[in-house]
Structures are given as C-alpha cells and as structure tokens.
Amino acid sequence: MMSAVQPLVHPLVQPKRRPWIPRVAGIACYLIGLLDIVYALLPSVRNTGPIKPLHHYGVYVPGLEIDPYTVSVSMLVGVMLLLLAHGLRRRKHRAWMGVVALLGLTVLGHLVALAGHFIPRGPGNGGILPAVLLVLLLVYRREFYALSDPRSRWRAVWTFFALTVADLALGLLIVAVRPAEIVNGGGWFARVEEVLLGLIGVSGPMSFKVDRYNDYVYFSLLGLSLLTLLVTLYLFLRPAAPDALLTPTQESEVRELLAKHGRRDSLGYFALRRDKSVLFSPSGKACIAYRVVAGVMLASGDPVGDPEAWPGAIKSFCDRADKYAWIPAVMGCSELGGEIWCREGGMDALELGDEAVVEVADFTLEGRAMRNVRQMVNKIERKGYICETRRLREIPVAEVLVIRRLATDGRSTETERGFSMALGRFGDASDGDCVVVTARKDGEIRAVLNFVPWGKDGLSLDLMRRDRTADPGLNELMIVAALREAGRLSVTRISLNFAVFRSALERGERIGAGPVLRRWRGLLVFLSRWFQIESLYRFNVKFRPIWEPRFVAFRQTRDLPRIALAALEAEAFLVLPSMLQRGGGRPVAADALDAAGAEAGQRRA
C-alpha cells in the first residue's frame, strides 16, 4: 500500500508578495561590506577623497568611524557582511540572524558611546540608519524563512573553538619565533595578550625593533582571525544537503509506480539509484528522484507515476527547494515533462540534447546506410567473438561476479560516473529484469552491456564496458545482438546513449551553417576531448535511431552556470578533492532533515 506524503510547507513560509526585500537587504549588505573593507585596506580613501574624506560618512555606515582600533574591526565586519549578503538574498534565516546581530551590536555600541559622549561630531546620529534597518528586518522577518543544514550549526560552533585554539597556538609561535626582535613585553602573559588582541585586530603590549616585523605579526594574526571567521560562517550558512538515501520502503513504492507507468519515460528506472532521494506527490501516485549538489536540487528525467499527479509532485519539489534555499533544476526531462515543469514550477527550459531510440521492428543491417555497422559486426564475428543475451536473473552468481569485476576494471576513470542515465550498480537481486549482453572470445568474457527495463516492452542502456585489450567494434556487435534477441525478450524499443547538443553538431557541419553555429560546433568538438560529446553522437547515429529531445529546466538564467557545475559533479565528470566533499557521519535521509527543519521552525514561531 503506497503511503501518501503530505506536501512540504514550512510553517513560516508566506506568499512571496515582497520579493524585493531580500534582494534590497542583500545589496545593502554587499555595499556596506565593501565600504568597510575599502576603509580598512586603503588609508588614502578614508583620509582623502575627491569630495569629502570617507570618514565623514562614518556616522551613516556601521564600522566606518575613524579610530585606530576600528580599522581591523571594519575589515572583520565587512567580510562578515559580504558572506551574509548572499544568504540574505536567498532568504536564509541564519543570514538574517547574523545581520540582525551585527546591526544590534552596532546600535548598542552607539548607545554606549552616546552615554559616554564618545560619538564623533557629524551630520546626524550614526545609530539611526542601523536602527532603521534593524527594525525593518525584524518587521519583515517572515521573508527570511529558508533553512540551513541543522546538522552544521553545532559543527560551526565546535569548529570555531577548535580554530581559535589553533590560532592562539600559532600566534604564540609567531610572536616567539624571533625573540631577538622583542624590545619589551616578552613575558608569557604579554605574549598571550598580544595574540588575543591581535586576533581582533588590536595592537598588543609587545613592541619590536623593526616595524616590518611588527606589521608581519599584526597581519599574520589578523589573517588567522579572518580564516577562522570565514570557515565558521561557511559552516553556519552551509546549505542543507541530506545524504542521498533511497530507503527500502521508498524503493518498493517507486517500483510499484514503474510497474504501472514505467513505459512513459526511458529514464524512469534510474530513479531507483540508491544515492538519490525521492519525493512523492500528496496522493502518492507520482514521485521525483533528486540529489542536492552544491546547493542545487537536481532532478533527472520526468516524474515517475501518473501524469495527473505530476503537478503535486512538482509543487512538493519546489516547496522543498524554497524551504532550504536550494536552486531547483531538472536534467533530461522530456518535452511533455518540460512543459509541466515550466507550467507548474515557474521554470524555463532549454534543449539539452537528444536521446537515441531504436525501434526494433524498423532495425535492419541491410542497405547502404548500415554498411559500416554491417562490416564491423561481420569482422568482429570472424575473430571468434560470440554474444549472449540474457535476463540478469538467468545468469549464475559466479558469472555475475566476473561481469561485475570486468565492469569495474573497464572504467576509464577511478570514479563511477552517472546520475541521470546510470543505475550505479550491477548484479543486484532486485534488478532481475535487466538484460545483460556479454561478448566472449575463447570462453572468456571480454565485454558487457547492461540494459534496464523501460516499461514492459522497452530497454534503456545503462552500462557499456569492455576489456581494454579487446578489439574495437565489440560495442556495435553487442547492440546488434540485443536488437536481434529483442523479439524473444518481448522488447519493441531500445534507448541508447544520450547525445548532448546533437542538433548543434548535426546542423553545424552542414553546408550553409552560419558562423555562430559553426563556432558553437567547434567548441563542442573541442570539449569532446574530455566529455565524449561528438563521439557519442557519432556512435548513436550509426543505428539510424529516432531522436527524442531532452531538456534542462531552470528558474533563472543566472543559475545556469551553477546548475552546469552541479550536473558535472553529479555525473562525476567533475570530482572534488576528498577534503572538499560533503558527507561523513551517519547518513541522514531527507525526511529526517525535514523533521529537524520543522522543529527549528516551531522554535522560531
């Protein structure tokens, strides 16, 4: 029995009637942060200017009052505001908390200074603007509802304390590494005081013979402090990213949907990757498989299930993306799916490429158009290669292990690639309907193809691997073998590889193609050295397929570069160093992340 999942609506989410508020708040943070940094780095700017010295405007901008000790504080405040500005524009609640805290401290500082008559004279009270901004942010606090990763909150706190201890140790080493330079203040307590004050940008009690070494100590301590601040704020504002986890219950529910509606999309079976999360519609009749990569909520293919329930699944998808300030995007949706995504999700779409689909009834090796494939297949068969096409459940376990080893050894990279058109596993007992084509020579398996089900009468290519020492042409032989055995398997259509920007490659080489199209094709050919763009197109076109367009759906054009990088990372074409990769610890499903976010929302309410 399929469980109905309620739509994800955050208790603080309100209709977006004031989208300008986060944008204006973010821009204000950017400008104030830049002014603070310019003030700290360029003495000439704060002391001279074409109209009036910059410090004359210090009463309007937090951190710009002239003071020998506030120069470094201005740098720290500027960096914090620059980091918070991006989160504020994306409606991050933690960014809102940080800005409110800074403005509150600024107003408090002005009140304390006013009580002691320390405020410099100027055209107005410097606490007015921060107070106004603070009140406005408090009034419109419901506009900043997006959650960050609840697990990174305490991680940021512990990281801050750990880095502070490391900064203290390194600072003591810096001030003690050249004792001959110390004029006075060489005692233990003086050194600790020098480091602690230096970390907040204030000169300590120690003095050195050479001013250059004094500057070295000062800027080294300030640099350590800035690094600690950057790392802590990054962890504090880190976007929520649930560890992709397809639970056994969800997998069984997705399989039920595929059994009823799997014929609609050749990519539907890849929703069963266990490193994806899945989100169901309120009725439970449709679901969307996705993964969060670098703040991008990346779905692949069309929603699985009844098209009438797709709008509900898309709404849940977009609500979750808004809840955590993720960028929603879809890779490889069909034309019908793209239309529904654009209508229900407020998205736009661009053609990403074409999927090669071969109709079994129309396929033949006869004729001039198939001459190259026919010659290649005959040549390989004369060398003694024999193909065998079977369902996975028909293959003995020992042979499955051999094939799995060949699939691992035959990878061109150390990392397994795939996200939208790859299952990411081979030989699992739950995938018994997959069709496996093996090529043998002298009794040894030299190449393998794996096809996943596409409804009850279709197959979709998942895996294509061969021994690196095997003869070229084996892939063509195995595809032809699968097409020859399709009738026995009750298969009427087979989906092959996906050709990115296929239409540009095809039209760009024709007579009469314009200069822009020719240059675009030239760039794709150049990129094919790393991403096999042209080679996949050339391979697919050999089988005279039907080209089915696929699209990428997105909300804003400025998000496309980030979506492209996230897609490359998801497909493992771009592999980050292990120290920069997210993860670690016990896997947390998306539902657990939602529960933590809901608890945080209730506390705020």
Side-chain angles (χ1 to χ4, degrees), residues 30 111 128 259 264 271 274 296 309 326 348 370 407 455 496 504 528 567 593:
Y30 275 123
L111 292 176
I128 294 179
R264 296 184 179 277
R274 289 167 186 157
V296 177
W326 293 329
D348 200 356
M370 299 298 294
L496 301 180
S528 297
L593 185 63

Side-chain angles (χ1 to χ4, degrees), residues 162-205:
L163 290 178
T164 300
V165 173
D167 292 343
L168 180 61
L170 290 174
L172 291 174
L173 181 61
I174 290 173
V175 299
V177 69
R178 295 174 65 177
E181 295 287 343
I182 301 175
V183 175
N184 57 34
W188 173 256
F189 291 104
R191 294 183 182 185
V192 173
E193 184 179 358
E194 176 77 18
V195 173
L196 292 177
L197 292 175
L199 290 175
I200 60 174
V202 179
S203 298

Side-chain angles (χ1 to χ4, degrees), residues 567-583:
L568 290 175
E569 185 178 346
E571 298 284 357
F573 286 104
L574 177 64
V575 181
L576 295 177
S578 57
M579 63 180 298
L580 299 178
Q581 292 179 0
R582 306 253 338 227

Side-chain angles (χ1 to χ4, degrees), residues 388 390 403 426 435-439 447-451 461-465 474-480 482 496 539:
E388 190 175 5
R390 295 165 289 176
I403 297 173
F426 178 82
V435 173
V436 182
V437 182
T438 54
V448 60
L449 293 185
N450 186 51
F451 294 90
L461 180 61
D462 165 47
L463 187 70
M464 179 185 290
R465 300 280 167 77
L474 267 182
N475 292 331
E476 288 87 342
L477 174 63
M478 289 188 293
I479 289 178
V480 170
L496 301 180
F539 179 83

Side-chain angles (χ1 to χ4, degrees), residues 60-93:
Y60 297 112
V61 180
L64 283 184
E65 292 84 353
I66 285 295
D67 187 282
Y69 298 111
T70 58
V71 173
S72 57
V73 176
S74 176
M75 169 69 76
L76 297 177
V77 171
V79 171
M80 284 191 292
L81 288 176
L82 286 180
L83 291 174
L84 293 171
H86 178 67
L88 208 61
R89 290 191 63 180
R90 297 179 60 195
R91 302 173 179 269
K92 284 282 189 176
H93 184 73

Side-chain angles (χ1 to χ4, degrees), residues 242-262:
D243 294 328
L245 181 64
L246 183 67
T247 65
T249 301
Q250 291 174 336
E251 182 174 343
S252 63
E253 293 177 354
V254 175
R255 289 186 182 276
E256 290 182 18
L257 293 177
L258 288 172
K260 297 177 182 178
H261 307 281

Side-chain angles (χ1 to χ4, degrees), residues 389-392 431-437 449-453 459 482 489 491:
T389 304
R390 295 165 289 176
R391 296 282 183 181
L392 178 62
D431 301 321
D433 288 334
C434 291
V435 173
V436 182
V437 182
L449 293 185
N450 186 51
F451 294 90
V452 299
L459 297 176
L489 299 171
V491 171

